[in-house]
Amino acid sequence: MLMFIFRRLIQTIPVVIGVTFVVFFIMQLVPGDPAVLLAGEGASKETIAGIREQLGLNRPLFVQYFDYLINIFQGDFGLSLKNSQPVLDEILVRLPITMELAFFSIIITIVLGMAAGIISAIKPYSLTDTSVMLVALFGISLPSFWFGLMLMYFFSVKLQILPVAGWDSILHVILPALTLGAGGAAIVARMTRSSMLEVIRQDYIRTARAKGLRERVIVYKHALRNALIPVITVVGLQFGALLGGTVLVESIFAINGLGRMIVDAIRMRDLPMVQGGVLFASMIFVIVNLFVDVFYRFFNKRIELN
Amino acid sequence: MSLEAKTEQQIVIKQSISHPKESKLKDFLSILMLNKAAMVGGIIILFYIFIALFAPLLAPFDPYEIKLENKLLPPSADHWMGTDDKGRDILSRILYGSRLSMGVGFAAVSFGSFFGIIFGLVAGYYGKWVDSIIMRAMDVMLAFPGILLALAIISALGPGLMNVTIAVGAFSVPLFARIVRGSTLEVKRLEYIDAIRSLGANDMTIIFKHIFPNILSPIIVQGTLRLATAILSAAGLSFLGLGAQPPSPEWGTMLSNGRDFLFSAPYIALFPGLAISILVLGFNIFGDGLRDAFDPRMKK
């Protein structure tokens, strides 16, 4: 197991470097001279040349990239073009909010998704199964930004039981987390159902039935345990979609998280902030994937041993 | 096996040899027709394509015409879906918007699939270091969560529908590359590829004339499902103000405008959202149906 974790860690290094490479080179696609952009309109040639010298823009692109890489590993993500504050400081203020939102959303994704999947799988091809799967299909197709607005209209405007926007109390968390978690729950429900159905057809489940075990024991103790293994991978992937989704949900509910920071930075052409935000979110996703892989292996191993 | 059954099987084999493509297509269509959900999905997609093609004939009003005296009218016999804050007919805007939303979706998936297919074919066929380099690059692209890669691209290229198309297309590339690579690896091991190679066919002929036509099924399924994601992502980016710009009747832009009137005129946000949801649902159902139809295990 330790060897597996070590090997998986080694595999992660090129991906991390690759992500920094992509983020750095995407920013080179910006039309025009970054020094002119930084200096602002009407700046003198001397000022522009000074900025170019100061930022090392005169040097070859690959040298600039290696500098960028070294700076990142030292925790230096550059300065915001908007307020000249370190990008990392802003990220560290916003990140806990986004992680909190992601945490509650993934709980909704897992609990709602698995419950729906199990209900469907227990009575396959029944009316309940069809209805649950139809709702799941709708869930996958709903745009989160529309679903969020509709939830806001219904619960905040019409019923007035939940706050419209902000991030001050647990009540503020409910609608954004539901908006973000619902799509993932639909995918997890479909995956849980198909995985459960596959397991239920196995010989050992038939044997358990033949032994006279109660259906509840068969479903929860024997089938679910094995069926959950592929679901773990889906949950891991959903975390990535969820991190991306925070961009939209935070904008709808006026939450000052990392996602909203990136969108605001794009609007203000604050490229170091965009670069830092995207890089940070991607790193979190890489780390989560690493954990999911280890978790998956751990479960698989235990089952093999048993 | 009885003689009768054997003869019947021989006839089937002979038929499939003489008209392999037609029989495959017939087989596929008959399975697709049996899948009610896929048919519903197909009908929804055709309905939207019809709307997009004939929007100028179907729309009761000019989607861009501002009539302030008609602003924020609720749904009525004159304006089935009401009017927005500038007095524009929402139904007419949705009908015209279908051209933009579907156009972006199709363009983004075409862009993503084009590069994804080429990378996947080359990686799968040549293997070794070519495969390693291409697939590690694809892994890196997949390390970006959700639409964040698209956001990074837009931040560099600037907002606009064209840039959204490129950005959404770019994050489809690794998904197509992975699927195509996997299928290419399977097909290239088959004996007929060795036979063609021994007859002197070059790599390009083998890849594009003999491997590519045989891996179309997973590409079509993935393409249909990606269309749903691409339409959603593009609308999401427009909703954030990074795609189509007002007064464009793009559905995401309309929804963004509707957000400002959620308290007084919720229908402005309701209808464009419904239009996106139903179209995306259509592609998802149809994609699921296609997957079942192409899956040999379903042909029992």
Side-chain angles (χ1 to χ4, degrees), chain A residues 215-228:
Chain A
E215 195 62 24
R216 185 178 287 266
V217 177
I218 294 170
V219 170
Y220 293 103
K221 204 174 165 200
H222 297 276
L224 188 61
R225 231 175 112 186
N226 287 339
L228 283 188

Side-chain angles (χ1 to χ4, degrees), chain B residues 112-129:
Chain B
S113 59
F114 177 77
F115 287 102
I117 289 168
I118 295 207
F119 288 146
L121 280 170
V122 171
Y125 184 76
Y126 289 104
K128 295 177 187 166
W129 63 269

Side-chain angles (χ1 to χ4, degrees), chain B residues 176-196:
Chain B
F176 279 102
R178 269 193 170 186
I179 287 166
V180 172
R181 174 188 174 266
S183 305
T184 307
L185 281 175
E186 267 175 41
V187 174
K188 87 164 184 182
R189 288 192 196 109
L190 299 177
E191 281 175 3
Y192 81 94
I193 297 293
D194 287 336
I196 293 160

Side-chain angles (χ1 to χ4, degrees), chain A residues 1-11 290 293-298:
Chain A
M1 188 68 192
L2 275 176
M3 197 57 206
F4 172 78
I5 295 173
F6 179 71
R7 264 212 319 263
R8 192 59 188 75
L9 264 173
I10 297 290
Q11 280 171 1
L290 184 72
D293 273 7
V294 173
F295 206 56
Y296 184 84
R297 171 84 179 186
F298 176 72

Side-chain angles (χ1 to χ4, degrees), chain A:
Chain A
M1 188 68 192
L2 275 176
M3 197 57 206
F4 172 78
I5 295 173
F6 179 71
R7 264 212 319 263
R8 192 59 188 75
L9 264 173
I10 297 290
Q11 280 171 1
T12 304
I13 294 170
V15 175
V16 170
I17 293 174
V19 169
T20 60
F21 186 83
V22 172
V23 170
F24 178 81
F25 281 95
I26 282 178
M27 293 306 150
Q28 306 307 315
L29 296 174
V30 178
D33 187 343
V36 176
L37 206 74
L38 282 171
E41 277 178 42
S44 67
K45 277 184 181 171
E46 289 74 28
T47 316
I48 294 168
I51 291 176
R52 201 171 284 138
E53 186 65 38
Q54 190 191 340
L55 296 177
L57 297 173
N58 291 330
R59 289 170 304 160
L61 213 54
F62 271 92
V63 177
Q64 290 182 45
Y65 168 66
F66 281 112
D67 278 351
Y68 171 71
L69 200 60
I70 290 165
N71 287 341
I72 283 173
F73 283 112
Q74 288 174 342
D76 178 7
F77 284 71
L79 299 177
S80 160
L81 297 185
K82 191 183 74 179
N83 54 19
S84 302
Q85 292 299 306
V87 169
L88 187 63
D89 289 0
E90 185 72 18
I91 290 174
L92 292 178
V93 170
R94 308 279 195 127
L95 188 66
I97 300 170
T98 298
M99 292 314 285
E100 206 178 329
L101 174 60
F103 172 75
F104 284 109
S105 305
I106 205 84
I107 297 282
I108 289 175
T109 293
I110 294 170
V111 174
L112 214 65
M114 283 188 184
I118 294 167
I119 290 169
S120 266
I122 288 173
K123 285 183 181 172
Y125 312 109
S126 65
L127 187 65
T128 319
D129 175 30
T130 313
S131 316
V132 171
M133 283 303 110
L134 207 62
V135 172
L137 202 59
F138 270 103
I140 293 170
S141 310
L142 284 183
S144 63
F145 44 99
W146 180 67
F147 183 53
L149 286 180
M150 291 302 114
L151 285 179
M152 191 191 272
Y153 174 71
F154 192 71
F155 290 102
S156 311
V157 181
K158 277 278 164 197
L159 299 177
Q160 298 189 342
I161 50 173
L162 289 170
V164 175
W167 197 252
D168 303 319
S169 68
I170 189 76
L171 287 178
H172 285 91
V173 181
I174 298 172
L175 291 185
L178 197 59
T179 306
L180 201 53
I187 292 170
V188 170
R190 278 159 63 107
M191 187 68 207
T192 308
R193 177 188 180 270
S194 62
S195 181
M196 282 280 283
L197 285 182
E198 212 156 281
V199 171
I200 282 171
R201 289 189 194 119
Q202 303 280 322
D203 285 345
Y204 73 90
I205 296 290
R206 205 169 295 139
T207 312
R209 282 215 176 95
K211 272 165 56 183
L213 287 180
R214 276 181 300 144
E215 195 62 24
R216 185 178 287 266
V217 177
I218 294 170
V219 170
Y220 293 103
K221 204 174 165 200
H222 297 276
L224 188 61
R225 231 175 112 186
N226 287 339
L228 283 188
I229 297 168
V231 178
I232 295 170
T233 321
V234 176
V235 171
L237 287 173
Q238 275 315 299
F239 192 82
L242 209 131
L243 270 180
T246 57
V247 170
L248 286 157
V249 174
E250 287 177 1
S251 297
I252 296 167
F253 292 97
I255 301 165
N256 285 323
L258 198 65
R260 197 175 175 206
M261 182 200 89
I262 295 171
V263 176
D264 289 343
I266 294 175
R267 287 202 188 112
M268 283 182 278
R269 310 280 290 154
D270 191 348
L271 295 181
M273 199 63 105
V274 180
Q275 226 171 2
V278 171
L279 200 60
F280 226 86
S282 306
M283 292 303 155
I284 293 169
F285 186 39
V286 169
I287 294 166
V288 168
N289 266 335
L290 184 72
F291 274 109
V292 167
D293 273 7
V294 173
F295 206 56
Y296 184 84
R297 171 84 179 186
F298 176 72
F299 266 83
N300 247 344
K301 199 84 185 167
R302 266 177 55 158
I303 284 155
E304 276 166 25
L305 287 173
N306 284 345

Side-chain angles (χ1 to χ4, degrees), chain B residues 144-213:
Chain B
F144 288 91
I147 58 169
L148 280 186
L149 181 62
L151 280 176
I153 294 172
I154 290 169
S155 70
L157 300 179
L161 214 51
M162 177 61 99
N163 293 342
V164 162
T165 308
I166 295 171
V168 173
F171 88 93
S172 298
V173 172
L175 295 163
F176 279 102
R178 269 193 170 186
I179 287 166
V180 172
R181 174 188 174 266
S183 305
T184 307
L185 281 175
E186 267 175 41
V187 174
K188 87 164 184 182
R189 288 192 196 109
L190 299 177
E191 281 175 3
Y192 81 94
I193 297 293
D194 287 336
I196 293 160
R197 195 179 289 122
S198 63
L199 286 171
N202 64 23
D203 288 351
M204 287 300 118
T205 311
I206 296 173
I207 291 174
F208 291 104
K209 211 173 158 197
H210 299 284
I211 295 180
F212 180 61

Side-chain angles (χ1 to χ4, degrees), chain B residues 39-52 102 279:
Chain B
M39 290 305 290
V40 173
I43 291 167
I44 293 174
I45 296 167
L46 286 176
F47 176 70
Y48 273 79
I49 291 174
F50 174 79
I51 285 176
M102 285 178 80
L279 176 61

